[in-house]
Amino acid sequence: MKENNKKKNIVVIILSVLLVITLIIGGYWFYKMKTSKTITVSGTAEVQITNQISSYSVTVEKHDKDKSKAVEAATLGSQTVVDAAKSFGIEPKDILTQSLNVYQREDPYYENGVTKYKSGDWYASYTVDITLRDLTKSDELTAALVKVENSTMWGPNLRVDDQAINEAEILSKAIEDAKNKAEKLAIGSGKKLGEVISIVETGSYNSYPMLKTMDSAGGAGGSGFSVEPGSTTVSKSVTVTFRLK
């Protein structure tokens, strides 16, 4: 009996010691966490990338007293645009037909000094989006597209090829920018910069050129429009938290 009690006492002592050690270690780490200092800063980086892609939107509009005839004419007109693009060498994946719009115009007239409205012609329009991946051929493509009657062309919408954007490199530069800021702040507070605790990407921005309008009924005279590619600004932002030592 005495031997059993002795063993039980030893077990209790061991468990008590382990509990005390656990409490001491836990308290130490809790104290370290409470007293540790961190600093959170933002970093940004941007690069200029030459545009490689241009897109154009061609809208064909037709009207007729008969609704079905207006829609049929607009459909044929949009097909003319598609055929012109394909004949030029644009791949089907870079041609998108969309935005069918059909409405009946209300024509104003005066009666006894009062403005009234009566139903007029039906109008139908179709829009075709075309992507050009060789900017040196812009003048040739637009020359072919402006020949389509009763159409309006928007473009060029210049942009970079996504595959040309090295996102990892831009993010690395943004993180380096954050680190440089953090080091200056740490030195100013009499501390040293420690390890990174967290990194969060907070923003991504691409700055594109503005669109222009090219009307086939305007002064183009059937000639095309050349394009200066320019560049797109690609920027990324991060928020980084460092530990201070």
Side-chain angles (χ1 to χ4, degrees):
M1 180 67 70
K2 291 182 178 180
E3 186 68 25
N4 290 336
N5 289 336
K6 185 177 181 181
K7 290 182 179 179
K8 289 181 180 179
N9 290 335
I10 293 174
V11 171
V12 171
I13 292 172
I14 293 174
L15 291 176
S16 298
V17 171
L18 291 175
L19 178 61
V20 171
I21 293 174
T22 301
L23 290 173
I24 292 174
I25 294 174
Y28 171 77
W29 283 111
F30 179 77
Y31 171 79
K32 289 288 290 182
M33 291 179 65
K34 291 290 288 184
T35 58
S36 64
K37 301 295 184 180
T38 62
I39 183 173
T40 300
V41 295
S42 62
T44 59
E46 64 178 34
V47 296
Q48 298 286 332
I49 302 177
T50 301
N51 295 309
Q52 305 99 1
I53 297 175
S54 177
S55 60
Y56 301 88
S57 293
V58 182
T59 299
V60 178
E61 185 176 65
K62 302 289 185 177
H63 66 92
D64 195 283
K65 294 185 180 298
D66 188 301
K67 180 180 180 181
S68 60
K69 290 183 178 180
V71 173
E72 181 181 1
T75 302
L76 291 174
S78 67
Q79 188 59 50
T80 300
V81 176
V82 171
D83 291 342
K86 288 182 177 180
S87 297
F88 185 79
I90 303 297
E91 296 183 15
K93 67 182 180 66
D94 289 328
I95 302 174
L96 175 64
T97 302
Q98 61 179 354
S99 301
L100 172 63
N101 184 28
V102 181
Y103 66 95
Q104 187 175 26
R105 192 173 70 179
E106 296 292 316
D107 296 328
Y109 69 96
Y110 292 95
E111 185 176 287
N112 298 324
V114 178
T115 302
K116 296 184 178 181
Y117 295 89
K118 61 180 179 180
S119 298
D121 284 357
W122 283 92
Y123 283 74
S125 64
Y126 243 131
T127 298
V128 181
D129 291 337
I130 300 169
T131 299
L132 177 65
R133 299 183 183 275
D134 184 355
L135 297 186
T136 62
K137 297 181 178 180
S138 176
D139 54 346
E140 299 174 36
L141 175 62
T142 53
L145 295 178
V146 296
K147 293 178 181 178
V148 180
E149 296 181 356
N150 299 314
S151 68
T152 300
M153 179 165 59
W154 289 83
N157 180 15
L158 296 166
R159 65 183 189 275
V160 298
D161 189 337
D162 290 339
Q163 296 181 354
I165 302 176
N166 190 335
E167 294 191 357
E169 180 181 351
I170 302 174
L171 282 172
S172 294
K173 290 181 179 180
I175 294 171
E176 187 65 25
D177 180 53
K179 182 180 179 181
N180 292 336
K181 292 179 181 178
E183 286 179 338
K184 293 178 181 179
L185 292 172
I187 293 174
S189 61
K191 301 284 186 178
K192 291 184 178 180
L193 201 62
E195 71 274 15
V196 174
I197 297 176
S198 68
I199 301 175
V200 179
E201 183 179 356
T202 55
S204 180
Y205 175 74
N206 294 354
S207 175
Y208 297 107
M210 297 295 291
L211 286 171
K212 296 181 180 179
T213 308
M214 304 173 187
D215 195 333
S216 63
S223 61
F225 300 85
S226 60
V227 169
E228 294 298 330
S231 62
T232 292
T233 301
V234 180
S235 67
K236 289 188 176 294
S237 302
V238 295
T239 298
V240 186
T241 299
F242 297 89
R243 195 178 302 282
L244 292 177
K245 298 188 292 184

